[in-house]
Amino acid sequence: FAFVPQRTHAQQQHEGKARTDARTDTPRALESSNTDETMSGISCEDRCQDEFNKFKLQNSQKGDKRRYLVFRIIDEKIKLVEEAPETKTWDDFLESLSSDDKDGAYGIYDMHCEGPDGRILQKVIFVAWSPDTLPVKAKMLYGSSREGFKADLGSGIAYTIQATDISDLDEKEVTDMVVKGR
């Protein structure tokens, strides 16, 4: 699997500054990293952001909790297509992501594992699923929309994994990544 590092605060600040248009040498503002539309022109429904905000705060609150969320691009929009109860497993998550070999997905998983010192680690993992069987256009769409979608979701994602094969998402390897903090 490919580990994709998160942007630093300095990089995020730089994104908000004005740039000069090379053709006209006039200043132009950069688009905010929290735009409603990604580079590909795909936008996410407001519900995606609302549900993610609830999801990342769920461990500090009482009530029903969810193990994962799955999003897909449908009709030029990123939409929440599945929410799973806390009783679901990593294998259930993988099954949901890979249920359609002609479509990609984005998934958010609430990983709980034990660290070397016995503490329970709780991390939110973002998975960008673009299988090798995906048509080229869909692969490009998911690839070019990923960072914009993550920016729309905001903070709270600890790890990002880009996967093209189910073997890229081995539970033991992902757990080791979380435990080792890499």
Side-chain angles (χ1 to χ4, degrees), residues 56-71:
K56 69 183 179 181
L57 298 173
Q58 71 183 355
N59 290 322
S60 62
Q61 300 169 351
K62 293 183 180 189
D64 293 335
K65 296 182 181 2
R66 296 171 289 177
R67 181 61 61 208
Y68 61 83
L69 305 174
V70 175
F71 305 88

Side-chain angles (χ1 to χ4, degrees), residues 111-126:
M111 173 70 78
H112 294 231
C113 57
E114 188 173 323
D117 58 358
R119 290 181 301 131
I120 298 296
L121 302 173
Q122 299 175 351
K123 299 293 181 182
V124 174
I125 298 173
F126 180 93

Side-chain angles (χ1 to χ4, degrees), residues 22 53 70 79 159 165 171:
N53 286 329
V70 175
K79 298 180 181 186
Y159 297 97
D165 188 78
E171 185 174 13

Side-chain angles (χ1 to χ4, degrees), residues 126-137:
F126 180 93
V127 175
W129 172 249
S130 293
D132 290 331
T133 58
L134 213 56
V136 173
K137 182 179 178 184

Side-chain angles (χ1 to χ4, degrees), residues 34-89:
N34 288 328
T35 61
D36 289 338
E37 214 169 88
T38 63
M39 282 180 53
S40 62
I42 301 294
S43 60
C44 74
E45 294 182 324
D46 290 340
R47 180 172 181 245
C48 296
Q49 295 162 321
D50 296 341
E51 292 303 320
F52 175 71
N53 286 329
K54 292 176 194 171
F55 183 82
K56 69 183 179 181
L57 298 173
Q58 71 183 355
N59 290 322
S60 62
Q61 300 169 351
K62 293 183 180 189
D64 293 335
K65 296 182 181 2
R66 296 171 289 177
R67 181 61 61 208
Y68 61 83
L69 305 174
V70 175
F71 305 88
R72 294 195 190 276
I73 298 175
I74 301 169
D75 299 328
E76 305 285 319
K77 284 256 191 210
I78 299 172
K79 298 180 181 186
L80 177 62
V81 295
E82 185 178 351
E83 303 174 56
E86 189 177 26
T87 56
K88 293 291 187 175
T89 65

Side-chain angles (χ1 to χ4, degrees), residues 11 13 19 25 40 44 67 69 152 158 162-163 171:
Q11 289 168 325
Q13 291 296 321
R19 286 193 184 158
D25 203 34
S40 62
C44 74
R67 181 61 61 208
L69 305 174
D152 286 345
Q162 182 177 341
E171 185 174 13

